[in-house]
Amino acid sequence: MTVYNFSAGPAALPGEVLERVRDELLDWNHDGMSVMEVSHRGAAFMRAAEEAEADLRELLAVPAGYRVLFLQGGASAQFSLVPMNLSAPGATADYVDTGHWSSKAIREAARYCRVNVVAGSGPDYLTVPAADRIRASAGAAYLHYTPNETIGGVEFPYVPDSGSVPLVADMSSTILSRPIDVARFGLIYAGAQKNIGPAGLVVVLVREDLIGHARADTPTVFDYAAVAAQGSMLNTPPTFAWYVAGLVFKWLKARGGLAAMAARNREKAERLYAAIDASSLYRNAVAPEARSWMNVTFRLARSELDGEFLRLANAAGLRNLKGHKAAGGMRASIYNSMPVEGVATLIEFMREFERAHG
Ligand SMILES: Cc1ncc(COP(=O)(O)O)c(C=O)c1O
């Protein structure tokens, strides 16, 4: 039985990448040792790390003038590190509140700066604010938003215009799902465990002029300028996660890069939403223009069937469809590594379940 893993994160990795990891686990680089056992400062690992950065830059078409950092602490650490690095004490930072993760970022930032929530879509968080409602305030250190809310399944169909205020994005659950214009952003951060690689790694892309202004009490290992100056090797980096991320970047390049990914991701999402909309048992309440390509949430009209749905799905090899506990219902996370056949199998299962129980 083929197993399809719809986990929101840590999420499925491409099978080909896992096979390569397995094949070279005990003997990486023909050196008789695992990649986990060698120095991050050795020539072999340095080469792999540099290649990973170069491939990521190529995939995202990162323009000159941006630093790419490989950090630790999860995306949640960035909720604090962004204000610590980008805002002076007493400064104001703008935030857009579109759900669970942006709310968390806001709460954490409020410990460091004056947070100004310039727009939001609460309390239901079933859409995103219209583009013309997002206006950065004069003098704000940055404007932060969450392009894809992983729990609610709500995604911005546009990039907000923050004028001359640097735009900061938590792209944890949407990075690499489609091409983006990096030049629109001052800083992008993303936890790795969805579209990049294993948990433990966070990627930060930051415009050079924004680094070097960290507060005096910022831990050195989290000062973007200090990390950048040392090529993200100021201390021991999460080498295994970095190596696997590099393999994922090569996998993406071999499959046509982000334009090809976008076409596939759009197709997967459209097919799944169409199946949900055509059914009387399943319902997705997110505004159609703000529906996530990566996290498709849905509820059963008869919630007493939730347990049976999950039990039968699991038995059919369709794993981790339970929605986040904060949201309930179901969630199918269909990141880059989810093949179209996985989505087709899920749709067929849902139709069959509705025929039997609807
Ligand atoms: C959009 C978003 N931001 C932040 C996080 C937190 O990530 P971490 O657990 O790596 O701190 C998540 C986790 O799922 C997320 O989806």
Side-chain angles (χ1 to χ4, degrees):
M1 178 177 65
T2 307
V3 167
Y4 292 111
N5 176 9
F6 294 92
S7 169
L13 285 162
E16 293 91 339
V17 167
L18 292 177
E19 281 164 12
R20 167 113 182 243
V21 170
R22 176 199 60 202
D23 291 347
E24 58 190 28
L25 190 65
L26 302 187
D27 183 15
W28 182 65
N29 206 34
H30 308 296
D31 215 14
M33 293 174 285
S34 166
V35 66
M36 286 179 275
E37 304 170 308
V38 301
S39 168
H40 55 294
R41 300 193 194 284
F45 189 83
M46 292 286 277
R47 205 165 41 244
E50 279 161 19
E51 248 180 72
E53 178 177 334
D55 286 340
L56 180 61
R57 281 182 180 271
E58 186 183 326
L59 283 164
L60 287 169
V62 179
Y66 282 80
R67 304 304 294 255
V68 177
L69 312 178
F70 291 84
L71 288 164
Q72 307 180 58
S76 301
Q78 298 304 316
F79 295 165
S80 330
L81 300 178
V82 166
M84 290 185 95
N85 277 276
L86 263 48
S87 72
T92 297
D94 290 341
Y95 277 75
V96 181
D97 179 16
T98 50
H100 182 96
W101 292 110
S102 42
S103 300
K104 277 199 142 175
I106 287 167
R107 280 199 299 278
E108 190 63 19
R111 302 178 57 203
Y112 303 97
C113 56
R114 287 178 35 210
V115 168
N116 185 16
V117 178
V118 292
S121 58
D124 296 337
Y125 298 123
L126 292 173
T127 187
V128 299
D132 60 7
R133 283 192 41 219
I134 300 180
R135 291 240 180 285
S137 36
Y142 58 86
L143 185 146
H144 177 284
Y145 83 115
T146 309
N148 186 64
E149 285 283 355
T150 322
I151 292 177
V154 172
E155 184 158 15
F156 275 79
Y158 67 90
V159 174
D161 181 359
S162 58
S164 58
V165 170
L167 185 62
V168 174
D170 172 3
M171 289 207 186
S172 295
S173 50
T174 184
I175 194 161
L176 300 173
S177 68
R178 64 183 95 187
I180 49 166
D181 181 2
V182 173
R184 300 277 308 271
F185 299 87
L187 186 147
I188 291 168
Y189 63 93
Q193 64 269 22
K194 300 158 199 303
N195 257 344
I196 295 178
L201 180 71
V202 188
V203 170
V204 175
L205 274 68
V206 57
R207 224 172 57 204
E208 272 165 9
D209 63 290
L210 296 175
I211 65 176
H213 317 289
R215 297 170 185 217
D217 57 356
T218 306
T220 309
V221 291
F222 289 137
D223 176 336
Y224 297 146
V227 174
Q230 301 289 327
S232 300
M233 293 200 191
L234 187 149
N235 67 328
T236 315
T239 51
F240 184 71
W242 194 333
Y243 146 80
V244 178
L247 297 183
V248 172
F249 301 152
K250 292 214 182 298
W251 179 85
L252 287 169
K253 280 174 61 178
R255 261 147 205 80
L258 301 194
M261 278 299 136
R264 239 168 55 122
N265 287 330
R266 177 196 281 276
E267 182 196 341
K268 288 186 293 180
E270 282 180 352
R271 282 172 69 169
L272 189 46
Y273 286 119
I276 291 168
D277 289 345
S279 121
S280 47
L281 180 62
Y282 310 108
R283 178 156 191 269
N284 171 288
V286 177
E289 67 281 6
R291 285 173 162 183
S292 170
W293 285 9
M294 296 283 99
N295 311 98
V296 178
T297 52
F298 60 94
R299 286 178 181 282
L300 274 62
R302 292 165 54 203
S303 59
E304 69 273 17
L305 291 175
D306 282 5
E308 184 67 352
F309 179 90
L310 289 167
R311 193 181 67 75
L312 292 177
N314 202 44
L318 303 168
R319 302 284 159 78
N320 296 315
L321 285 165
K322 195 174 189 325
H324 189 276
K325 60 181 184 312
M330 308 294 158
R331 172 176 53 173
S333 294
I334 50 175
Y335 299 115
N336 285 341
S337 62
M338 176 59 63
V340 177
E341 305 82 69
V343 172
T345 307
L346 172 61
I347 290 171
E348 192 41 47
F349 169 81
M350 288 168 69
R351 288 202 179 121
E352 190 51 45
F353 185 86
E354 184 168 4
R355 268 194 291 276
H357 299 86

